[in-house]
Amino acid sequence: MRRFQHYIDGEFSDGEARYPSIDPATGAIWADMPEAREADVDRAVNAADRALYDGPWSKMTATQRGKLLYKLADLVAANAQILAELETQDTGKIIRETSAQIAYVAEYYRYYAGIADKIEGSYLPIDKPDMDVWLRREPIGVVAMVVPWNSQLFLSAVKIGPALAAGCTMVVKASEDGPAPLLEFARLVHQAGFPAGVVNIITGFGGSCGAALGRHPKVAHVAFTGGPETARHVVRNSAENLASTSLELGGKSPFIVFADADLESAANAQVAGIFAATGQSCVAGSRLIVERSVKDKFVALLREKAQAIRIGAPLDMATEVGPLATKRQQDNIGALVARSIESGARLVTGGSKIDGEGFYFPPTILDCDDVDSPSLIEEFFGPVLSVVSFETETEALMLANNTRYGLASGLFTQNLTRAHRLMKGIRAGIVWVNTYRAVSPIAPFGGFGLSGHGREGGMAAALDYTRTKTIWLRTSDDPIPDPFVMR
Ligand SMILES: NC(=O)C1=CN([C@@H]2O[C@H](COP(=O)(O)OP(=O)(O)OC[C@H]3O[C@@H](n4cnc5c(N)ncnc54)[C@H](O)[C@@H]3O)[C@@H](O)[C@H]2O)C=CC1
Ligand SMILES: CN(C=O)/C=C(\CC(=O)O)C(=O)O
């Protein structure tokens, strides 16, 4: 059985406790994981705090930090396959996707390596004759990073990359479900030569480890990705240390198809949007909003594609849909589909878990026209698509915005002016037009409403890991005049 360790203060160590990790493809225990509780969290945060203020990291130039990030990028690229196999084994996400995604994760580190020495302060044209005034950009402090199980290397790279570029130190908490790839990634951080304490990687459960980390007095910022309910705990905890927070949360993203769209292309994008990663994607296009005149044709096309999907072992390169990450996911998705059908949703395909070993659930489509289905409101985080139809552009926009979430959206039409009107009207952090689920280190992502706040990716994300310091330098040799007047 594989055995993993924490990475704290530049050393690999066991946790205060240990727990078994389950292979979602078989339901069997495959690895033994360390579990951090309050004492381990405290050790890791103190290491990050020392590294921030006292260690070699605090004395490095931004260019030197960038060079370490370039090394890390090369190591991630060279080890992408090993990391991908671990992620697939521990979370069930198919190897076809993990190997491509993790190779691309290297590009995120490369992008932020280049940014490290481009984070500039500024000189202020101050309104006083004898003063020079600057803004310095300094690292925000020790950052707590909390990620969910899906795409852990990607979701941590969009935090670790900009935070390192900005000069921060950090404690990264891998999800208790499927932490193997992130714990293994710690070996690459070590090999790249980051000084002890700069990046600490632990895992543990939300209530004992995540909460202790988020409220730790030496934590200045919490970068969180997960569900909205957990985010509320994170925000409440931040009342203790008054840390700032960035929240990347769930979604119920609309996927709008007009009759003039290339339906074959839109159907492929819809398959990518809801069945890739077995639907366990924050940006899943889980609400299909299709023009009524093409609804039957489009849904028939989707059903055909859904039924042709190869479901199988996630480590098999031919597999297109693997298991869900946990049994809890499988049970929750099954229960929400059943409730939706009870409320009147009509089953087009799929519908209930696949019996046998592993946590499998088939691609599922629910026709929800004229039904108040919970499937249109609640996030499944699974391979379930809910379909509604519209007649006018106004109705399409109203349906798209009929959600408290606002992470992503897809829009398929050949009509350029309509596309422009809708991309402004849709209330979501991302609008993909005639494409879906495209990502890049250069393009920020993040949500509106219940999908959270803050943006990851892009230059601005690195600035978010800095705080400004205002420096006043008096350039006159004359004695300070009247001390009782503010100037
Ligand atoms: N917007 C985005 O970029 C993404 C959002 N997500 C969202 O994540 C959710 C699925 O992931 P889950 O792991 O089920 O989410 P979750 O919210 O249950 O857990 C996320 C992380 O928070 C930790 N946690 C739990 N309680 C905590 C507490 N009180 N204080 C601090 N940390 C705590 C967990 O241990 C885990 O590491 C979905 O809602 C999904 O949409 C997932 C991927 C990307
Ligand atoms: C965050 N994201 C795109 O902007 C996409 C992801 C990440 C995730 O959900 O884990 C994805 O589609 O996998």
Side-chain angles (χ1 to χ4, degrees):
M1 188 179 315
R2 284 290 302 262
R3 196 168 191 282
F4 291 83
Q5 290 185 301
H6 289 146
Y7 182 58
I8 300 176
D9 207 8
E11 287 176 1
F12 292 90
S13 57
D14 288 332
E16 288 163 273
R18 300 196 68 83
Y19 70 98
S21 199
I22 308 289
D23 177 346
T26 61
I29 296 171
W30 82 280
D32 180 39
M33 298 297 172
E35 183 199 334
R37 295 182 184 164
E38 197 133 6
D40 281 335
V41 168
D42 193 50
R43 210 155 55 84
V45 176
N46 278 314
D49 190 66
R50 280 194 304 277
L52 181 68
Y53 295 109
D54 297 328
W57 181 249
S58 63
K59 296 171 189 70
M60 270 185 199
T61 63
T63 308
Q64 286 170 322
R65 288 204 302 269
K67 283 184 179 160
L68 285 178
L69 268 162
Y70 277 121
K71 263 195 209 162
L72 184 59
D74 289 345
L75 284 165
V76 170
N79 289 276
Q81 194 55 26
I82 294 169
L83 295 170
E85 280 166 21
L86 283 175
E87 181 163 344
T88 294
Q89 176 98 56
D90 214 12
T91 69
K93 189 168 189 171
I94 58 169
I95 191 74
R96 214 156 135 174
E97 167 143 283
T98 53
S99 40
Q101 191 183 44
I102 295 170
Y104 196 48
V105 161
E107 297 307 316
Y108 280 77
Y109 285 108
R110 204 158 279 137
Y111 175 76
Y112 286 109
I115 278 181
D117 57 9
K118 284 142 202 101
I119 298 173
E120 297 174 352
S122 54
Y123 180 81
L124 305 184
I126 209 74
D127 56 345
K128 303 184 192 312
D130 55 354
M131 293 284 185
D132 274 348
V133 183
W134 298 271
L135 283 187
R136 272 172 59 79
R137 278 202 180 267
E138 299 188 348
I140 198 168
V142 174
V143 182
M145 301 177 176
V146 179
V147 292
W149 81 81
N150 63 310
S151 316
Q152 292 202 50
L153 290 172
F154 170 70
L155 295 169
S156 55
V158 293
K159 299 172 176 58
I160 298 172
L164 287 173
C168 295
T169 60
M170 60 218 63
V171 179
V172 187
K173 186 193 107 47
S175 171
E176 60 272 41
D177 298 316
L182 205 34
L183 295 174
E184 183 69 16
F185 164 80
R187 301 203 171 272
L188 307 184
V189 171
H190 193 72
Q191 230 179 303
F194 285 91
V198 173
V199 181
N200 304 275
I201 302 184
I202 60 175
T203 189
F205 294 86
S208 45
C209 175
L213 177 58
R215 66 169 175 250
H216 196 287
K218 290 182 178 166
V219 163
H221 179 79
V222 185
F224 173 78
T225 301
E229 208 37 57
T230 316
R232 292 191 177 96
H233 288 293
V234 169
V235 172
R236 279 186 209 111
N237 268 334
S238 73
E240 300 281 322
N241 52 9
L242 296 180
S244 52
T245 56
S246 49
L247 307 172
E248 291 292 337
L249 311 178
K252 195 75 210 175
S253 300
F255 189 104
I256 309 170
V257 179
F258 281 87
D260 68 354
D262 175 338
L263 294 188
E264 177 63 28
S265 174
N268 277 340
Q270 177 66 92
V271 167
I274 189 64
F275 300 136
T278 319
Q280 300 169 116
S281 159
C282 54
V283 295
S286 54
R287 290 184 300 135
L288 168 62
I289 299 170
V290 57
E291 191 161 352
R292 198 154 301 151
S293 59
V294 291
K295 177 188 167 194
D296 289 347
K297 184 176 173 193
F298 193 66
V299 171
L301 194 55
L302 281 178
R303 183 181 50 222
E304 191 188 314
K305 286 182 186 290
Q307 289 175 347
I309 286 172
R310 282 193 293 266
I311 302 172
L315 278 164
D316 181 344
M317 251 333 230
T319 295
E320 294 168 332
V321 161
L324 296 158
T326 60
K327 171 134 187 7
R328 185 178 74 245
Q329 275 281 99
Q330 191 192 37
D331 292 343
N332 289 346
I333 292 166
L336 182 48
V337 169
R339 270 199 289 132
S340 303
I341 291 172
E342 270 165 36
S343 70
R346 295 166 294 277
L347 191 62
V348 177
T349 187
S352 51
K353 71 173 184 177
I354 299 172
D355 290 328
E357 67 174 23
F359 311 138
Y360 287 88
F361 203 94
T364 294
I365 302 176
L366 296 170
D367 181 344
C368 301
D369 250 343
D370 308 316
V371 180
D372 273 337
S373 174
S375 66
L376 288 167
I377 297 164
E378 297 171 37
E379 185 185 38
F380 277 94
F381 219 55
V384 184
L385 178 67
S386 301
V387 184
V388 289
S389 63
F390 66 89
E391 274 185 352
T392 64
E393 186 181 310
T394 309
E395 201 187 344
L397 185 60
M398 192 267 293
L399 287 167
N401 287 337
N402 188 19
T403 174
R404 293 188 66 200
Y405 288 105
L407 187 56
S409 57
L411 171 58
F412 282 75
T413 179
Q414 309 279 358
N415 181 327
L416 195 61
T417 53
R418 172 195 283 152
H420 274 270
R421 283 191 299 275
L422 284 170
M423 69 180 78
K424 282 187 230 152
I426 292 172
R427 292 198 288 267
I430 307 170
V431 182
W432 282 301
V433 184
N434 294 331
T435 186
Y436 205 81
R437 206 171 170 231
V439 292
S440 162
I442 302 161
F445 69 85
F448 295 4
L450 279 194
S451 295
H453 56 73
R455 294 290 176 268
E456 294 191 317
M459 172 74 188
L463 298 183
D464 288 347
Y465 286 98
T466 66
R467 58 185 171 193
T468 57
K469 182 181 277 176
T470 310
I471 314 287
W472 289 80
L473 172 69
R474 185 162 177 260
T475 53
S476 166
D477 291 330
D478 296 342
I480 292 194
D482 187 351
F484 300 104
V485 176
M486 190 189 194
R487 70 198 81 238

